[in-house]
Amino acid sequence: MSEFPPCPKCGSEYTYDDGMALVCPECGHEWAKDAVEEGGQDEKVVKDANGTPLQNGDTVTVIKDLKVKGSSSTVKVGTKVKNIRLVDGDHDIDCRIDGIGAMKLKSEFVRKA
């Protein structure tokens, strides 16, 4: 058996050491050894409107027309938002929308694409 922890992305037990990082040969995910040693830190799981967990870098689709505060613009239903960043707070998604700019969204108004 391997003395390395399973892959945090796919759960594979075949991880191996590659210098400063651990690597999963099945999905190609790499992560720092330090992240494993810290352990015990419970991260908040952000879920979309359907209950699917979201991660940094995901692409999501807006499921409801959203008015932009302080502007006459509206984010239309079906708008795809690429490369999201998860943040703490009431609006838990930080993103950039073409034609509008930087915005914060609530995860309850998006679904993973």
Side-chain angles (χ1 to χ4, degrees):
M1 277 288 142
S2 173
E3 69 270 4
F4 302 114
C7 174
K9 191 169 184 181
C10 71
S12 171
E13 61 185 34
Y14 302 111
T15 58
Y16 64 90
D17 184 8
D18 187 30
M20 294 298 294
L22 295 173
V23 180
C24 174
E26 292 184 11
C27 70
H29 181 66
E30 296 183 13
W31 67 99
K33 290 181 191 178
D34 301 348
V36 174
E37 292 171 3
E38 289 173 10
Q41 292 189 10
D42 295 328
E43 291 186 21
K44 179 182 169 189
V45 176
V46 177
K47 296 183 179 183
D48 69 359
N50 296 333
T52 307
L54 298 173
Q55 296 179 345
N56 286 324
D58 280 347
T59 299
V60 296
T61 304
V62 177
I63 62 169
K64 176 182 175 184
D65 284 347
L66 301 172
K67 292 183 180 180
V68 179
K69 248 187 179 172
S71 173
S72 60
S73 302
T74 302
V75 179
K76 297 288 185 182
V77 66
T79 302
K80 283 199 173 191
V81 182
K82 298 178 183 176
N83 198 19
I84 64 169
R85 291 175 303 284
L86 302 178
V87 295
D88 291 332
D90 186 30
H91 293 73
D92 40 19
I93 297 174
D94 198 14
C95 62
R96 181 172 300 280
I97 298 177
D98 292 338
I100 295 176
M103 283 194 69
K104 290 186 180 263
L105 299 172
K106 290 186 177 184
S107 59
E108 64 194 66
F109 298 121
V110 299
R111 67 174 167 83
K112 192 170 182 176

